[in-house]
Amino acid sequence: MPFSSLSHIQTRLDNAETTAVEVAQLYLDRIATHNETLNAFVYIDAEHVLAQAEASDKHRAKHGARALEGLPIAVKDIFCTQNGPTQCCSNILKDFHAPYDAHVITKLKEAGAVLVGKTNMDEFAMGSSNETSAFGPCRNPWNTDTIPGGSSGGSAAAVSAALTPAALGTDTGGSIRQPASLTGITGLKPTYGRVSRRGIIAFASSLDQAGPMTRTVKDAAMITSVISGHDSGDATSVADAPELDWLAACDKTDMKGLRIGVPKEYFVEGMDAEVRASVEAALKQCEALGAELVDISLPNTKLAVAAYYVIAPSEASANLSRYDSVRFGHRCDNPEDLLDMYTRSRDEGFGAEVKRRILTGAFALSSGYYDAYYLKAQQVRTMIQQDFLTAFENVDIIATPTSPITAFKLGEKTDDPLTMYLSDIYTIAVNLAGLPGLSQPCGFSADLPVGLQWIAPAWREDVLLSAASAYEGATDWHNKSPKAFDEVSGGES
Amino acid sequence: MNWEVVIGLEVHCQINTKTKAFCGCSTAFGSEPNTQTCPVCLGMPGQLPVLNTLAVDKTILTGLAIGAQINLESKFDRKNYFYPDLPKGYQITQFTVPLVEHGYIDITTKDRGDRRIGITRIHMEEDAGKSMHEGLDAVSHIDLNRSGIPLMEIVSEPDMRSSDEAIAYLKNLHQVIRFLGVSGADMEKGQFRCDANVSVRHPGDEFGTRTEMKNMNSFRFIKQAIDYEVMRQIEVIEDGGEVVQESRLWDSVKNESRSMRSKEEANDYRYFPEPDLPPLRVSQLEVDNIKAGMPELPHQLRARFETEFGLSAYDADVLTQTRELSDWYEALVAAHPADPKRCANWMANELLGRLKELNKNIEDSPVSPNQFGELMDRMGDNTISGKIAKDVLDAMLESGKSADAIIDEKGLKQVSDTGAIDAMILEIMAANQGQVDAYRGGKDKLFGFFVGQVMKASKGKANPGMVNQRLKELLKG
């Protein structure tokens, strides 16, 4: 049971084979057993979880089941929730309690989901290994000496080790897909504007997008169908986005007629040989399923990381100005004056990586440097968008590795931010172009999961889901679970 | 030496929407601190701005009224700086592409005749909160009720050449804004605040180095501050020094300005496009609809009052100072259509003067346009003289009663009966035989004496025209 998919649990609930309370208790027990090892959750309120489950069972009995009735979903500490603290894994928001729910949290509640708790993450979502968290690193269930990826590392580890059947993450430069890849699960970043950002703590506003992290493609579709949709409270949430039949898109079992673009720039020197082999094997499998592989070029790919590390920190430098200790958040002791209060509070509250990005961003926006950095980066962004538009004239979807490497050891890259930034080399361009992307497991390299990334045109998550579903149906990677956490639980599976 | 003054003005004008620029909080003035706030205008984590489209419409209306171009696509930017009353650490404003560009205000100057003052741009932005330091020890208090209130920043070209021109521009702009109803523009409440950029040069030279006088909210202070700054700059240069580019603050108590910060100390605001708001797009149709609903502007009203009602330029000007005045006047003419000029004279000279003494605006007048019209009617039909009318008006203002009631009550009806007037004249002539003889002997000036005596005897009620006519007749002998 613990490693069941969300949809499988849903069927069991629908058939009255179990109850929401039982399901919640199962995962609470697993969290109690394993979280100390993994540090995937930074906040759990078991009583509150059980109360929600109880209410869900009552709702089901009285009014029938809603879209996610009784299904446990964990959320990254970046989502504001009225219950419990929302700290973005930063000391500057230590013990901050939001007086509101994020829009997507409201949507999940309205669909009957049981919110399990807050998951670990890189501080303010700035990181690719979950090591910048103020609450300590999270570990990869496949090898607890390694990182789970980031920034949604806690959500990834929690789903991978079945401490929850599903979780929400956010993806600014790969923060859903890269950890999904490194922990062997499925992660979907919707088209920018598909999901409201209201109540999600902003990192880089023009790039941030929330999405599901799940065991199966269909589970990702179930959650996205609930959290997506126009929100009049977010001016960047698109009002006339094409509606999709999310679940029907997952019924696809073949790839007949599908033209898959394979960009040569994504298969380069320096990538892990087994990652490459796994992805190439996956592409062969797609051919066997009826797809046509088309060599394509995304010529500006090499500029994506540089552009991203100007645009994202620039936006972040402004987004994080509100943590000034005046109205909420950490304030230093006995400030001498206003300047001392600002500098000391922020110095104590923010970690090194966050400071690095604030400084980078403030520099890029400074008078005299703006044209050379920010403006140039925006021009590159347009070129990258154009690359994809051109590619999609000839192909329906693009397939790439999600990450050039598998999970690395804790501390391995912490002193080398540039190498760390390269972990997102395959995911960043998708955010810059605002496109939907999905990562799903496609193999192993030295017993660590490898991820396959799908990229579709804007608003065509259905194309992603169909291709990924067909691949998932023909393979068994999504059913693999990390041994150390796969003890038999109550004889169910 | 001959100096030319160059002035450009930036006006921050509060747009009078019910709710704030980017959230649903009330904009009402004078509430308890921090009671009109929400997570958005408090800058709480994850909160996002949603643009108040009414504020956009009012800015467009203002742009159309100053003959400006409306940019169908404009952009919002973030202006970054830290201050405790700026919750997000940045202000949402329009930096690169404002909603309105290239407008103007016409003024009449003393030395240079009619002048067109260019308006570079009007952009939308949000106000900050208020910091309070006075009377507090080692702490400051922050009131964020004002945080997020929509503003228009109206930036002029450096087209003004004296403080008088600057004030004329500001007054005309203020008047247009009040007429449009886009802002209360109450200067005491800070709804219309001005920064003045001032420099001096020799005519024909390049612009001199300018200084900026910040945040002034009275026409008098603005004029004083500009005049002070002009003198200061000329002194600096004539003493062989150089004007330093800086921001200065006017101290209205000491009547002097002092340096706030120099160019070197100036903030680098690190402007960049606001990623939370897509570009602001308006359609030409929307602009046309706003244009169609545009009220008459002061200069249009002045022209119409002159042609339609035959008013003097002066009266037309007085009666178009505010929308309330022109509305009142038009209601008065509707009540007393017989003589719009009489209405204008009486309203401008008698009513407004009295209201001023009572410290009231026209909209608070105890006498309604209909009641005042009745008073005009009674003069028109010779029931009372102008002199009596003034007394009646006083009584109306005091008692709130109608003109007719007062005339009846006090028996002020004008005497136009020839017999009664002749009787009074003959009685006065009999009592003043000496003057009668003198008049008949050629002392014409004494005519006024006889008029005065008759009016006195009639307690002012005698019809002055008839008194004149009968006196001439009877004094002939």
Side-chain angles (χ1 to χ4, degrees):
Chain A
M1 169 94 161
F3 285 90
S4 297
S5 67
L6 209 55
S7 54
H8 182 67
I9 299 171
Q10 187 178 49
T11 307
R12 288 172 52 86
L13 285 167
D14 287 348
N15 295 339
E17 291 164 35
T18 187
T19 64
V21 171
E22 276 176 22
V23 171
Q25 190 59 60
L26 171 81
Y27 287 104
L28 284 172
D29 290 347
R30 286 187 61 80
I31 292 167
T33 309
H34 297 298
N35 196 50
E36 209 185 319
T37 314
L38 293 175
N39 198 24
F41 282 88
V42 293
Y43 175 77
I44 284 283
D45 177 353
E47 233 170 84
H48 181 65
V49 174
L50 290 171
Q52 292 174 75
E54 219 168 288
S56 168
D57 282 333
K58 278 193 186 135
H59 189 281
R60 178 186 290 274
K62 209 168 166 191
H63 309 288
R66 294 163 287 181
L68 298 172
E69 194 67 63
L71 299 176
I73 297 177
V75 303
K76 191 177 179 180
D77 197 25
I78 202 167
F79 294 91
C80 288
T81 53
Q82 280 178 303
N83 178 260
T86 299
Q87 305 173 95
C88 228
C89 288
S90 176
N91 281 322
I92 207 144
L93 278 175
K94 194 146 179 51
D95 301 325
F96 174 73
H97 283 252
Y100 41 82
D101 281 331
H103 182 72
V104 294
I105 297 294
T106 307
K107 290 261 199 174
L108 288 181
K109 282 182 171 175
E110 286 170 359
V114 173
L115 299 174
V116 190
K118 294 303 207 25
T119 57
N120 205 347
M121 58 183 281
D122 282 298
E123 183 181 5
F124 281 101
M126 297 176 185
S128 307
S129 66
N130 211 117
E131 291 168 293
T132 71
S133 167
F135 303 137
C138 171
R139 284 161 195 273
N140 191 325
W142 290 92
N143 177 346
T144 52
D145 291 334
T146 68
I147 55 90
S151 64
S152 311
S155 287
V159 173
S160 173
L163 307 192
T164 175
L168 284 191
T170 57
D171 191 317
T172 305
S175 283
I176 287 175
R177 290 159 291 153
Q178 185 257 17
S181 168
L182 269 46
T183 58
I185 62 166
T186 299
L188 169 64
K189 180 203 96 74
T191 308
Y192 184 80
R194 176 74 86 181
V195 177
S196 167
R197 295 183 296 112
R198 182 158 56 99
I200 303 173
I201 294 179
F203 162 16
S205 313
S206 74
L207 301 163
D208 296 344
Q209 192 67 184
M213 303 178 79
T214 55
R215 308 198 63 77
T216 67
V217 176
K218 189 180 175 192
D219 290 359
M222 280 168 64
I223 293 176
T224 315
S225 74
V226 166
I227 62 172
S228 62
H230 177 58
D231 169 19
S232 59
D234 172 3
T236 62
S237 126
V238 173
D240 49 4
E243 288 289 324
L244 295 181
D245 191 339
W246 297 89
L247 297 183
C250 301
D251 292 339
K252 203 85 176 162
T253 53
D254 64 58
M255 296 191 184
K256 287 196 185 91
L258 189 72
R259 291 171 63 82
I260 301 175
V262 183
K264 60 173 191 244
E265 291 83 0
Y266 282 64
F267 295 83
V268 290
E269 295 284 316
M271 72 185 293
D272 180 303
E274 283 189 66
V275 168
R276 182 178 197 137
S278 296
V279 173
E280 282 171 354
L283 292 172
K284 282 232 161 59
Q285 180 83 54
C286 294
E287 265 186 315
L289 287 165
E292 183 191 342
L293 300 184
V294 182
D295 287 332
I296 61 164
S297 172
L298 298 167
N300 294 297
T301 299
K302 59 182 183 299
L303 303 175
V305 172
Y308 175 86
Y309 278 99
V310 171
I311 292 168
S314 293
E315 292 181 10
S317 72
N319 282 334
L320 271 58
S321 293
R322 68 188 60 199
Y323 309 107
D324 59 2
S325 82
V326 173
R327 299 165 319 289
F328 54 82
H330 172 73
R331 184 184 289 183
C332 66
D333 291 330
N334 307 314
E336 274 172 36
D337 54 22
L338 182 60
L339 188 63
D340 184 46
M341 184 177 91
Y342 280 154
T343 49
R344 221 146 38 84
S345 301
R346 284 167 69 83
D347 184 39
E348 293 165 5
F350 289 133
E353 183 59 27
V354 172
K355 285 178 199 165
R356 176 159 32 237
R357 302 215 192 179
I358 291 173
L359 288 172
T360 308
F363 175 78
L365 294 174
S366 305
S367 160
Y369 296 97
Y370 180 86
D371 289 1
Y373 292 98
Y374 186 82
L375 214 57
K376 188 68 82 185
Q378 288 292 7
Q379 287 161 355
V380 168
R381 185 175 188 171
T382 307
M383 287 158 60
I384 286 168
Q385 285 165 346
Q386 193 54 52
D387 276 2
F388 280 110
L389 286 177
T390 308
F392 284 125
E393 285 173 12
N394 295 314
V395 299
D396 304 309
I397 195 166
I398 293 169
T400 77
T402 307
S403 167
I405 49 168
T406 54
F408 46 88
K409 291 223 158 57
L410 260 79
E412 192 181 317
K413 294 181 195 284
T414 38
D415 295 331
D416 186 359
L418 282 184
T419 321
M420 183 76 92
Y421 293 172
L422 290 176
S423 324
D424 295 328
I425 188 165
Y426 295 151
T427 47
I428 272 174
V430 173
N431 298 78
L432 290 173
L435 303 177
L438 182 147
S439 177
Q440 70 181 143
C442 72
F444 287 88
S445 165
D447 297 328
L448 288 167
V450 175
L452 171 67
Q453 176 176 238
W454 297 99
I455 305 166
W459 312 115
R460 295 309 302 272
E461 286 87 343
D462 55 332
V463 177
L464 286 183
L465 294 168
S466 293
S469 293
Y471 178 78
E472 187 183 82
T475 57
D476 201 29
W477 305 115
H478 64 287
N479 288 324
K480 306 281 185 206
S481 45
K483 289 243 154 32
F485 300 88
D486 194 9
E487 77 276 18
V488 175
S489 166
E492 293 174 294
S493 69
Chain B
M1 198 175 285
N2 194 10
W3 290 99
E4 182 176 59
V5 179
V6 177
I7 302 164
L9 298 171
E10 291 166 23
V11 170
H12 286 92
C13 181
Q14 200 177 97
I15 306 171
N16 63 348
T17 50
K18 282 207 169 64
T19 57
K20 291 184 180 181
F22 300 113
C23 64
C25 289
S26 166
T27 57
F29 182 82
S31 304
E32 283 295 300
N34 299 310
T35 54
Q36 288 165 188
T37 57
C38 73
V40 174
C41 59
L42 291 175
M44 302 282 277
Q47 293 296 325
L48 298 172
V50 176
L51 180 60
N52 182 336
T53 53
L54 197 59
V56 175
D57 290 354
K58 293 194 171 195
T59 306
I60 292 173
L61 182 64
T62 310
L64 292 170
I66 59 160
Q69 164 194 321
I70 309 301
N71 289 328
L72 298 183
E73 181 173 318
S74 59
K75 287 179 179 155
F76 287 96
D77 300 278
R78 291 184 182 177
K79 177 180 179 176
N80 295 288
Y81 65 95
F82 283 96
Y83 205 70
D85 60 24
L86 186 73
K88 299 190 294 298
Y90 57 84
Q91 177 195 35
I92 302 177
T93 180
Q94 294 192 297
F95 181 62
T96 49
V97 190
L99 180 55
V100 174
E101 277 182 294
H102 313 307
Y104 60 86
I105 286 278
D106 287 331
I107 61 169
T108 303
T109 70
K110 244 192 311 200
D111 315 322
R112 304 197 299 145
D114 289 345
R115 284 276 158 179
R116 178 156 285 188
I117 307 300
I119 291 178
T120 318
R121 57 191 274 152
I122 304 180
H123 63 254
M124 300 181 65
E125 60 185 29
E126 57 177 338
D127 212 341
K130 260 187 204 159
S131 297
M132 286 159 286
H133 315 287
E134 267 169 56
L136 298 169
D137 186 28
V139 293
S140 294
H141 288 172
I142 315 276
D143 175 8
L144 294 173
N145 283 349
R146 206 179 64 184
S147 163
I149 284 187
L151 301 176
M152 289 184 268
E153 182 172 336
I154 305 162
V155 182
S156 86
E157 294 287 319
D159 286 350
M160 287 149 281
R161 295 291 174 267
S162 68
S163 59
D164 284 337
E165 291 186 17
I167 300 304
Y169 162 82
L170 285 173
K171 284 189 168 168
N172 282 6
L173 178 65
H174 186 259
Q175 194 187 22
V176 166
I177 281 167
R178 296 268 303 136
F179 261 81
L180 294 173
V182 295
S183 170
D186 187 329
M187 296 179 83
E188 279 175 20
K189 291 180 184 165
Q191 294 168 348
F192 188 92
R193 324 192 279 266
C194 179
D195 300 341
N197 287 291
V198 177
S199 64
V200 298
R201 64 174 172 185
H202 297 303
D205 283 2
E206 297 282 296
F207 287 133
T209 305
R210 66 188 158 87
T211 59
E212 186 178 30
M213 319 291 294
K214 300 291 283 183
N215 224 5
M216 299 171 287
N217 64 346
S218 112
F219 291 130
R220 194 161 57 90
F221 294 159
I222 295 166
K223 183 168 163 53
Q224 286 173 351
I226 292 173
D227 288 340
Y228 176 91
E229 184 56 17
V230 167
M231 292 314 296
R232 192 190 68 82
Q233 289 188 11
I234 292 174
E235 248 172 60
V236 166
I237 298 170
E238 290 188 342
D239 288 351
E242 272 181 22
V243 173
V244 180
Q245 186 173 340
E246 62 185 354
S247 294
R248 297 179 70 86
L249 211 57
W250 177 248
D251 183 333
S252 57
V253 178
K254 290 184 183 161
N255 275 335
E256 60 181 34
S257 67
R258 58 172 183 272
S259 179
M260 233 167 94
R261 56 173 176 258
S262 72
K263 191 188 173 190
E264 287 72 36
E265 296 165 308
N267 285 319
D268 178 353
Y269 291 119
R270 305 191 308 276
Y271 288 99
F272 76 104
E274 164 58 287
D276 286 334
L277 293 169
L280 170 58
R281 293 194 177 87
V282 291
S283 69
Q284 189 57 49
L285 184 70
E286 286 170 274
V287 174
D288 292 344
N289 283 340
I290 292 169
K291 197 170 196 169
M294 172 125 64
E296 239 174 333
L297 294 170
H299 70 273
Q300 294 164 329
L301 266 174
R302 275 198 295 276
R304 184 161 67 80
F305 282 6
E306 286 177 35
T307 52
E308 189 176 333
F309 301 131
L311 303 194
S312 68
Y314 177 80
D315 281 349
D317 192 49
V318 170
L319 297 178
T320 54
Q321 282 304 303
T322 67
R323 157 81 48 209
E324 288 75 14
L325 276 171
S326 66
D327 283 351
W328 209 96
Y329 173 68
E330 296 215 69
L332 172 59
V333 172
H336 179 73
D339 195 344
K341 277 182 83 164
R342 184 204 302 275
C343 290
N345 285 334
W346 274 77
M347 185 178 157
N349 299 320
E350 303 303 331
L351 180 62
L352 294 184
R354 283 168 172 77
L355 288 176
K356 197 169 179 188
E357 276 167 28
L358 294 170
N359 220 352
K360 282 185 195 300
N361 288 321
I362 190 72
E363 55 270 32
D364 314 317
S365 166
V367 174
S368 71
N370 276 332
Q371 289 176 317
F372 200 73
E374 187 181 293
L375 181 67
M376 299 298 101
D377 285 344
R378 295 295 87 81
M379 274 191 281
D381 63 16
N382 284 320
T383 306
I384 53 172
S385 69
K387 188 167 182 303
I388 293 289
K390 290 177 190 176
D391 298 337
V392 174
L393 178 57
D394 286 335
M396 287 168 75
L397 286 167
E398 206 181 299
S399 67
K401 288 180 185 167
S402 74
D404 281 345
I406 292 164
I407 291 166
D408 272 0
E409 231 169 68
K410 300 198 171 174
L412 296 175
K413 206 166 170 182
Q414 183 160 270
V415 180
S416 303
D417 169 18
T418 320
I421 290 173
D422 282 2
M424 276 189 278
I425 292 174
L426 291 172
E427 199 173 308
I428 283 160
M429 285 171 66
N432 298 283
Q433 197 55 53
Q435 278 85 346
V436 173
D437 292 341
Y439 177 83
R440 286 177 176 160
K443 245 187 150 181
D444 290 352
K445 275 191 200 156
L446 279 170
F447 189 75
F449 162 78
F450 289 107
V451 173
Q453 289 296 310
V454 177
M455 294 311 287
K456 194 173 162 191
S458 74
K459 298 196 176 82
K461 287 186 289 183
N463 181 326
M466 290 187 68
V467 170
N468 274 331
Q469 187 207 330
R470 294 308 304 152
L471 260 177
K472 273 185 189 148
E473 193 64 33
L474 294 171
L475 280 171
K476 272 187 201 158

